[in-house]
Structures are given as C-alpha cells and as structure tokens.
Coordinates of all heavy atoms in Angstrom, one line a residue:
D195 N 0.8 -1.2 0.0 CA 0.0 0.0 0.0 C 0.9 1.3 0.0 O 0.6 2.2 -0.7 CB -0.9 0.0 1.2 CG -2.3 -0.5 0.9 OD1 -2.6 -0.7 -0.3 OD2 -3.1 -0.7 1.9
Q196 N 1.9 1.3 0.8 CA 2.8 2.4 0.9 C 3.5 2.7 -0.5 O 3.6 3.8 -0.9 CB 3.8 2.3 2.0 CG 3.2 2.3 3.4 CD 2.9 1.0 3.9 OE1 2.6 0.0 3.2 NE2 2.9 0.8 5.2
M197 N 3.9 1.6 -1.1 CA 4.6 1.7 -2.4 C 3.6 2.2 -3.4 O 4.0 3.0 -4.2 CB 5.1 0.3 -2.8 CG 6.0 0.3 -4.0 SD 7.4 1.3 -4.0 CE 8.4 0.4 -2.8
L198 N 2.4 1.7 -3.4 CA 1.4 2.2 -4.4 C 1.1 3.6 -4.2 O 1.0 4.4 -5.1 CB 0.1 1.3 -4.3 CG 0.2 -0.1 -4.7 CD1 -1.1 -0.8 -4.4 CD2 0.5 -0.2 -6.2
D199 N 0.9 4.0 -2.9 CA 0.7 5.5 -2.6 C 1.8 6.3 -3.1 O 1.6 7.4 -3.7 CB 0.5 5.7 -1.1 CG -0.8 5.1 -0.6 OD1 -1.8 4.9 -1.4 OD2 -1.0 5.0 0.7
S200 N 3.0 5.9 -2.9 CA 4.2 6.7 -3.3 C 4.3 6.9 -4.8 O 4.9 7.8 -5.3 CB 5.5 6.2 -2.7 OG 5.9 5.0 -3.3
R201 N 3.7 5.9 -5.5 CA 3.8 5.9 -7.0 C 2.5 6.5 -7.6 O 2.4 6.6 -8.8 CB 3.9 4.5 -7.5 CG 5.2 3.8 -7.1 CD 6.4 4.3 -7.8 NE 7.5 3.4 -7.8 CZ 8.4 3.2 -6.9 NH1 8.3 3.8 -5.7 NH2 9.4 2.4 -7.0
G202 N 1.5 6.8 -6.7 CA 0.2 7.3 -7.2 C -0.6 6.3 -8.0 O -1.3 6.6 -9.0
V203 N -0.5 5.0 -7.6 CA -1.2 3.9 -8.3 C -2.2 3.3 -7.4 O -1.8 3.0 -6.2 CB -0.1 2.9 -8.8 CG1 -0.8 1.7 -9.5 CG2 0.9 3.5 -9.7
S204 N -3.3 3.0 -7.9 CA -4.3 2.3 -7.1 C -4.2 0.8 -7.2 O -3.6 0.3 -8.2 CB -5.8 2.7 -7.5 OG -6.0 2.2 -8.8
Q205 N -4.8 0.0 -6.3 CA -4.8 -1.4 -6.4 C -5.5 -1.9 -7.7 O -5.1 -2.8 -8.3 CB -5.5 -2.1 -5.2 CG -4.7 -2.1 -4.0 CD -5.4 -2.9 -2.9 OE1 -6.2 -3.8 -3.1 NE2 -5.2 -2.5 -1.6
N206 N -6.6 -1.2 -8.0 CA -7.4 -1.5 -9.2 C -6.5 -1.3 -10.4 O -6.6 -2.1 -11.4 CB -8.6 -0.7 -9.3 CG -9.7 -1.1 -8.3 OD1 -9.7 -2.3 -7.8 ND2 -10.6 -0.2 -7.9
Q207 N -5.7 -0.2 -10.5 CA -4.9 0.0 -11.7 C -3.8 -1.0 -11.8 O -3.5 -1.5 -12.8 CB -4.3 1.4 -11.6 CG -3.6 1.8 -12.8 CD -4.5 2.0 -14.0 OE1 -5.6 2.6 -13.9 NE2 -4.1 1.4 -15.1
L208 N -3.2 -1.4 -10.6 CA -2.2 -2.4 -10.6 C -2.8 -3.7 -11.1 O -2.1 -4.4 -11.9 CB -1.6 -2.6 -9.2 CG -0.6 -3.7 -9.0 CD1 0.7 -3.4 -9.9 CD2 -0.2 -3.8 -7.5
A209 N -3.9 -4.1 -10.7 CA -4.6 -5.3 -11.1 C -4.9 -5.3 -12.6 O -4.6 -6.2 -13.3 CB -5.9 -5.5 -10.3
K210 N -5.4 -4.2 -13.1 CA -5.7 -4.1 -14.5 C -4.5 -4.2 -15.4 O -4.5 -4.8 -16.4 CB -6.4 -2.7 -14.7 CG -6.8 -2.5 -16.2 CD -7.5 -1.1 -16.3 CE -7.7 -0.8 -17.7 NZ -8.2 0.6 -17.9
D211 N -3.4 -3.5 -15.0 CA -2.2 -3.4 -15.8 C -1.3 -4.7 -15.7 O -0.6 -5.0 -16.6 CB -1.4 -2.2 -15.4 CG -2.0 -0.9 -15.8 OD1 -3.0 -0.9 -16.6 OD2 -1.6 0.1 -15.2
T212 N -1.5 -5.5 -14.6 CA -0.6 -6.6 -14.4 C -1.3 -8.0 -14.7 O -0.7 -9.0 -14.8 CB 0.0 -6.7 -13.0 OG1 -1.0 -6.8 -12.1 CG2 0.9 -5.5 -12.8
G213 N -2.7 -7.9 -14.6 CA -3.4 -9.2 -14.7 C -3.6 -9.9 -13.4 O -4.1 -11.0 -13.3
I214 N -3.1 -9.3 -12.3 CA -3.2 -9.9 -11.0 C -4.6 -9.6 -10.5 O -5.1 -8.4 -10.6 CB -2.2 -9.3 -10.0 CG1 -0.8 -9.6 -10.5 CG2 -2.4 -9.9 -8.6 CD1 0.3 -8.9 -9.8
S215 N -5.3 -10.6 -9.9 CA -6.7 -10.3 -9.5 C -6.7 -9.3 -8.3 O -5.8 -9.2 -7.5 CB -7.4 -11.6 -9.1 OG -6.9 -12.0 -7.8
T216 N -7.8 -8.5 -8.3 CA -7.9 -7.5 -7.2 C -8.0 -8.2 -5.9 O -7.6 -7.7 -4.9 CB -9.2 -6.6 -7.4 OG1 -10.3 -7.4 -7.6 CG2 -8.9 -5.7 -8.6
S217 N -8.7 -9.4 -5.8 CA -8.8 -10.1 -4.6 C -7.4 -10.6 -4.1 O -7.1 -10.5 -2.9 CB -9.7 -11.3 -4.7 OG -9.2 -12.3 -5.6
T218 N -6.5 -11.0 -5.0 CA -5.2 -11.3 -4.6 C -4.4 -10.1 -4.0 O -3.8 -10.2 -2.9 CB -4.4 -11.9 -5.8 OG1 -5.0 -13.1 -6.2 CG2 -2.9 -12.2 -5.4
L219 N -4.5 -9.0 -4.6 CA -3.9 -7.8 -4.1 C -4.5 -7.3 -2.8 O -3.7 -6.9 -1.9 CB -4.0 -6.7 -5.2 CG -3.2 -6.9 -6.5 CD1 -3.5 -5.8 -7.5 CD2 -1.7 -7.0 -6.2
R220 N -5.8 -7.4 -2.7 CA -6.5 -7.0 -1.5 C -6.0 -7.9 -0.3 O -5.7 -7.4 0.8 CB -8.0 -7.1 -1.7 CG -8.8 -6.4 -0.6 CD -10.3 -6.4 -0.8 NE -10.6 -6.1 -2.2 CZ -11.1 -7.0 -3.1 NH1 -11.4 -8.2 -2.7 NH2 -11.4 -6.6 -4.3
N221 N -6.0 -9.2 -0.5 CA -5.6 -10.1 0.5 C -4.1 -9.9 0.9 O -3.8 -9.9 2.1 CB -5.8 -11.6 0.1 CG -7.2 -12.0 0.1 OD1 -8.1 -11.4 0.8 ND2 -7.6 -12.9 -0.8
L222 N -3.3 -9.6 -0.1 CA -1.9 -9.3 0.2 C -1.7 -8.1 1.0 O -1.0 -8.1 2.0 CB -1.1 -9.2 -1.1 CG 0.4 -9.0 -1.1 CD1 1.0 -10.2 -0.4 CD2 0.9 -8.9 -2.5
N223 N -2.5 -7.0 0.6 CA -2.4 -5.8 1.4 C -2.9 -5.9 2.8 O -2.4 -5.1 3.7 CB -3.2 -4.7 0.6 CG -2.3 -4.0 -0.4 OD1 -1.1 -3.8 -0.2 ND2 -2.9 -3.6 -1.5
H224 N -3.8 -6.7 3.0 CA -4.4 -6.9 4.4 C -3.8 -8.0 5.2 O -4.4 -8.5 6.1 CB -5.9 -7.0 4.3 CG -6.6 -5.7 3.8 ND1 -6.6 -4.5 4.4 CD2 -7.2 -5.5 2.6 CE1 -7.2 -3.6 3.7 NE2 -7.6 -4.2 2.6
N225 N -2.7 -8.5 4.7 CA -2.0 -9.7 5.3 C -2.9 -10.9 5.6 O -2.8 -11.5 6.6 CB -1.3 -9.2 6.6 CG -0.2 -8.3 6.4 OD1 0.7 -8.6 5.6 ND2 -0.2 -7.1 7.0
R226 N -3.8 -11.1 4.6 CA -4.7 -12.3 4.7 C -4.3 -13.4 3.8 O -5.1 -14.2 3.3 CB -6.1 -11.9 4.4 CG -6.7 -10.9 5.4 CD -8.2 -10.7 5.2 NE -8.4 -10.1 3.9 CZ -9.1 -9.0 3.6 NH1 -9.8 -8.5 4.6 NH2 -9.3 -8.6 2.4
T227 N -3.0 -13.5 3.6 CA -2.5 -14.6 2.7 C -1.3 -15.2 3.4 O -0.6 -14.6 4.2 CB -2.1 -14.0 1.3 OG1 -1.8 -15.1 0.5 CG2 -0.9 -13.0 1.4
T228 N -1.2 -16.5 3.1 CA -0.1 -17.2 3.8 C 1.1 -17.5 2.8 O 2.1 -17.9 3.2 CB -0.5 -18.6 4.3 OG1 -1.1 -19.3 3.3 CG2 -1.5 -18.4 5.4
R229 N 0.8 -17.2 1.5 CA 1.9 -17.4 0.5 C 1.6 -16.5 -0.7 O 0.5 -16.0 -0.9 CB 2.0 -18.8 0.1 CG 0.8 -19.3 -0.6 CD 0.9 -20.8 -0.9 NE -0.3 -21.3 -1.6 CZ -0.3 -21.5 -2.9 NH1 0.7 -21.3 -3.6 NH2 -1.4 -21.9 -3.5
I230 N 2.7 -16.2 -1.4 CA 2.5 -15.4 -2.6 C 3.5 -16.0 -3.7 O 4.6 -16.4 -3.3 CB 2.9 -13.9 -2.4 CG1 2.7 -13.1 -3.7 CG2 4.2 -13.8 -1.8 CD1 2.8 -11.6 -3.5
S231 N 3.0 -16.1 -4.9 CA 3.8 -16.8 -5.9 C 4.9 -15.8 -6.4 O 4.8 -14.6 -6.3 CB 3.0 -17.2 -7.1 OG 2.6 -16.1 -7.9
F232 N 6.0 -16.4 -6.9 CA 7.1 -15.6 -7.4 C 6.6 -14.8 -8.7 O 7.1 -13.7 -8.9 CB 8.3 -16.5 -7.8 CG 9.0 -17.0 -6.6 CD1 9.1 -18.3 -6.4 CD2 9.7 -16.1 -5.7 CE1 9.8 -18.8 -5.3 CE2 10.3 -16.6 -4.6 CZ 10.4 -17.9 -4.4
D233 N 5.7 -15.4 -9.4 CA 5.2 -14.7 -10.6 C 4.5 -13.4 -10.2 O 4.6 -12.4 -10.9 CB 4.2 -15.6 -11.4 CG 4.9 -16.8 -12.1 OD1 6.1 -16.7 -12.3 OD2 4.2 -17.7 -12.4
V234 N 3.7 -13.5 -9.1 CA 2.9 -12.3 -8.7 C 3.9 -11.3 -8.2 O 3.8 -10.1 -8.5 CB 1.9 -12.7 -7.6 CG1 1.4 -11.4 -6.9 CG2 0.8 -13.5 -8.2
L235 N 4.9 -11.7 -7.4 CA 5.9 -10.8 -6.9 C 6.7 -10.1 -8.0 O 6.9 -8.9 -8.0 CB 6.9 -11.5 -6.0 CG 6.5 -11.8 -4.6 CD1 7.6 -12.6 -3.8 CD2 6.3 -10.5 -3.8
E236 N 7.0 -10.9 -9.0 CA 7.8 -10.4 -10.2 C 6.9 -9.3 -10.9 O 7.4 -8.3 -11.3 CB 8.2 -11.5 -11.1 CG 9.0 -11.0 -12.3 CD 9.4 -12.1 -13.2 OE1 8.6 -13.1 -13.4 OE2 10.5 -12.0 -13.8
K237 N 5.7 -9.6 -11.2 CA 4.8 -8.7 -11.9 C 4.7 -7.4 -11.1 O 4.8 -6.3 -11.7 CB 3.4 -9.3 -12.1 CG 3.3 -10.3 -13.1 CD 1.9 -10.9 -13.3 CE 1.9 -12.0 -14.3 NZ 0.5 -12.5 -14.4
I238 N 4.5 -7.5 -9.8 CA 4.4 -6.2 -9.0 C 5.7 -5.4 -9.0 O 5.7 -4.2 -9.2 CB 4.0 -6.6 -7.5 CG1 2.6 -7.2 -7.5 CG2 4.1 -5.4 -6.6 CD1 2.2 -7.8 -6.1
C239 N 6.8 -6.1 -8.8 CA 8.1 -5.4 -8.8 C 8.4 -4.8 -10.1 O 9.0 -3.7 -10.2 CB 9.2 -6.4 -8.3 SG 9.0 -6.8 -6.6
L240 N 8.2 -5.5 -11.2 CA 8.4 -4.9 -12.5 C 7.6 -3.7 -12.8 O 8.0 -2.7 -13.3 CB 8.2 -6.0 -13.6 CG 9.3 -7.1 -13.7 CD1 8.9 -8.2 -14.7 CD2 10.6 -6.5 -14.1
Y241 N 6.3 -3.8 -12.4 CA 5.4 -2.7 -12.6 C 5.8 -1.5 -11.8 O 5.7 -0.4 -12.3 CB 3.9 -3.2 -12.3 CG 2.9 -2.1 -12.6 CD1 2.4 -2.0 -13.9 CD2 2.4 -1.2 -11.6 CE1 1.5 -1.0 -14.2 CE2 1.5 -0.3 -11.9 CZ 1.0 -0.2 -13.2 OH 0.1 0.8 -13.5

C-alpha cells in the first residue's frame, strides 16, 4: 500500500495493468495470505 501510494497507483490500476486479481492484491495488502507466488511478486516489482 505504501509503495502504491508513493507511486500514485491504485490497487485496481495495478490489477488491471498486471493481470493480478484484485482479490489477490487486497488479501496481500491486508496480510490475509499465507503465501505469494514468485510470478505475482515479479509482476508487482516490474510494474
């Protein structure tokens, strides 16, 4: 969330541009996930 705020990007925009589901991003942001795939991490970091 802090990284998105600093870049002026919303979760919805990140989801749209990367193909990562909004529910995956929402769960990640709210620490409601026990694992994250390397593919998702890579997409977020590249974006």
Side-chain angles (χ1 to χ4, degrees):
D195 266 347
Q196 292 92 332
M197 185 62 68
L198 291 173
D199 286 345
S200 73
R201 300 286 202 279
V203 177
S204 70
Q205 281 186 33
N206 288 336
Q207 188 65 47
L208 178 61
K210 180 181 173 187
D211 291 344
T212 62
I214 301 168
S215 74
T216 54
S217 62
T218 296
L219 293 173
R220 192 176 318 111
N221 287 336
L222 184 60
N223 272 323
H224 296 291
N225 291 307
R226 292 187 301 226
T227 188
T228 56
R229 63 187 181 102
I230 182 171
S231 75
F232 288 117
D233 289 342
V234 168
L235 281 175
E236 181 180 35
K237 286 179 183 180
I238 292 170
C239 290
L240 287 173
Y241 185 83

